[in-house]
Amino acid sequence: METTAELPLASGAVSLGELADPLVVDPDPWLLETVVLALEDVDPSLADPGLDELRSAAAADVPPWSAVDAHPTVSVLVREEVFERLIDGFHEASRVAAFVDAALLAPLRLDTPQPNAVVAGRDEGFAVVETPNGRLAVGSDASLRRRYAETRAEADSVRIPAPSRHRLYAAFFDRCGREMADDVVRALDASPDPHADVVGPRIRAYLVGAWHERFDHTVRRACEDAGIGSPATFTGVKRRLVDADVVTTDRVGQPVGRPRKRLRVCSSVEATSMSALLARTRELLDD
């Protein structure tokens, strides 16, 4: 696939795809967002795929980013407060997680602000300077990248608090089937953004499991595979929903081993759709 990951600076476009082992150091919010937008050009469907694209990728069992393997990973040494602005919301974080999954982006924590942002490859590097006429790539210094070699080697990866849409869908598709995977994505897409909602991502995914009357263990494992939380995390989620009389469990005997617990929505919760269930749960948890 031909790549067009370019940073549109006032001094001329800088192609990330043509740099050897590209590194971006201490970008401000505009430059960091511009890097992500440039990576979107590599494969526009990667970060925000619709249900048809998610279904096709999951059914084919082929990583959706296989077409972008030839593009170099862009490492970004970024201050925490700048990165948090980029991922301020579940869907914003999910979008960035897609580039990390595809090895297009490697965000690394930077503790100390630098005099200027830097974009560098092995053989050339530029300082990015803001002027009244826009941001300029200044100089062509091959040593710039080497100056940050130690900092880069010692930097921790930045945690992203949401999975990519492809990872999310594939996990539920594999464990619970297409219908439930579709509903999990729809529930997480429902307004308001789950990042700022009392009915957050974990609660929404668990509610979908109860709506489909899946086994508690199966839903927890799917959530773990998706990167939403560990199985132990959902002990608290379950307790909260049970205490609010939203979800209950039925014991189902097994030919071998202990009975399993099947989730279901309480009969007292009057909801004829997933959207109604989310709204009613929000009311009960706010009480």
Side-chain angles (χ1 to χ4, degrees):
M1 175 182 290
E2 182 180 353
T3 60
T4 57
E6 295 184 340
L7 303 182
L9 304 178
S11 53
V14 174
S15 175
L16 295 172
E18 294 179 0
L19 292 174
D21 192 14
L23 173 67
V24 179
V25 179
D26 200 15
D28 64 9
W30 178 89
L31 182 57
L32 181 59
E33 175 68 19
T34 302
V35 169
V36 172
L37 289 173
L39 294 177
E40 284 186 355
D41 285 342
V42 177
D43 185 351
S45 68
L46 186 63
D48 191 26
L51 278 175
D52 286 343
E53 293 165 312
L54 291 170
R55 292 168 185 151
S56 296
D61 196 24
V62 174
W65 45 83
S66 58
V68 301
D69 284 348
H71 195 281
T73 302
V74 180
S75 298
V76 181
L77 282 165
V78 59
R79 284 175 283 136
E80 187 173 6
E81 62 269 24
V82 174
F83 196 76
E84 286 180 350
R85 289 179 59 176
L86 180 71
I87 59 170
D88 186 21
F90 182 83
H91 299 297
E92 288 79 3
S94 181
R95 165 197 182 210
V96 175
F99 300 121
V100 175
D101 284 353
L104 288 174
L105 181 69
L108 304 168
R109 182 170 288 105
L110 179 69
D111 296 326
T112 307
Q114 303 301 302
N116 294 103
V118 166
V119 178
R122 288 197 187 99
D123 303 318
E124 58 182 329
F126 309 91
V128 179
V129 179
E130 185 173 1
T131 73
N133 296 322
R135 287 172 173 80
L136 306 178
V138 178
S140 181
D141 186 348
S143 71
L144 273 176
R145 183 177 172 279
R146 293 194 296 273
R147 295 178 195 176
Y148 291 99
E150 184 177 351
T151 301
R152 179 186 184 184
E154 295 177 353
D156 295 326
S157 297
V158 179
R159 177 183 172 274
I160 301 175
S164 68
R165 288 172 71 83
H166 278 292
R167 179 183 178 186
L168 175 83
Y169 187 90
F172 285 96
F173 182 92
D174 291 342
R175 294 272 183 186
C176 307
R178 169 178 159 173
E179 185 178 355
M180 183 169 159
D182 284 4
D183 279 349
V184 169
V185 170
R186 292 188 184 109
L188 289 168
D189 283 349
S191 296
D193 188 297
H195 178 71
D197 188 20
V198 65
V199 183
R202 293 168 179 166
I203 291 177
R204 293 189 192 195
Y206 203 75
L207 282 174
V208 174
W211 181 260
H212 284 267
E213 298 189 351
R214 298 287 182 172
F215 288 121
D216 176 53
H217 177 74
T218 303
V219 174
R220 292 183 187 223
R221 291 299 303 273
C223 289
E224 180 183 28
D225 293 347
I228 296 178
S230 69
T233 301
F234 286 88
T235 298
V237 172
K238 177 184 176 183
R239 182 183 300 113
R240 191 175 182 192
L241 292 174
V242 169
D243 290 347
D245 293 325
V246 176
V247 168
T248 189
T249 59
D250 297 325
R251 292 170 64 87
V252 179
Q254 303 295 306
V256 178
R258 299 168 58 185
R260 302 183 73 180
K261 295 181 179 180
R262 187 184 302 278
L263 301 171
R264 64 177 173 85
V265 178
C266 292
S267 57
S268 59
V269 178
E270 297 181 359
T272 58
S273 66
M274 271 304 308
S275 59
L277 176 59
L278 293 177
R280 182 59 180 146
T281 301
R282 190 173 294 110
E283 293 173 0
L284 292 169
L285 292 181
D286 276 336
D287 285 346

